Amino acid sequence: MSDKARKLFEALDLDHNGTLTRDEVIIALRSKGPTLAASGDLPFWALGDADDSSALFDAADANGDSMLTLEEFAAVVDRRFGWS
């Protein structure tokens, strides 16, 4: 797991409970995404609309419980963003 994936997960975890919900991912990427991209913590091409954020969530939700753990999240973003 990359440090970038961990840092991005923490930025998206709006309630700081150690998991991500679909709404957190959508809201956080829309509100924090441009800042995260400008600081190099998210690729600019990864910024998208709510459907793109929802698709990222679906790809990462390996066990289908509608919650993302750091491990589930990192496995997908490290691969998609070339961070591993």
Side-chain angles (χ1 to χ4, degrees), residues 43-54:
F44 277 106
W45 57 263
L47 295 176
D49 60 16
D51 289 339
D52 294 329
S53 299
S54 188

Side-chain angles (χ1 to χ4, degrees), residues 22 25-26 30 48-58 80:
R22 181 183 308 276
V25 171
I26 292 169
R30 293 190 79 202
D49 60 16
D51 289 339
D52 294 329
S53 299
S54 188
L56 174 67
F57 183 92
D58 289 338
R80 280 198 178 178

Side-chain angles (χ1 to χ4, degrees), residues 13-68:
D13 186 9
L14 299 176
D15 62 7
H16 307 288
N17 70 349
T19 61
L20 298 176
T21 64
R22 181 183 308 276
D23 287 341
E24 275 182 307
V25 171
I26 292 169
I27 292 166
L29 283 175
R30 293 190 79 202
S31 64
K32 296 181 175 187
T35 302
L36 291 166
S39 66
D41 294 323
L42 179 71
F44 277 106
W45 57 263
L47 295 176
D49 60 16
D51 289 339
D52 294 329
S53 299
S54 188
L56 174 67
F57 183 92
D58 289 338
D61 190 15
N63 63 3
D65 67 354
S66 298
M67 302 289 279
L68 298 184

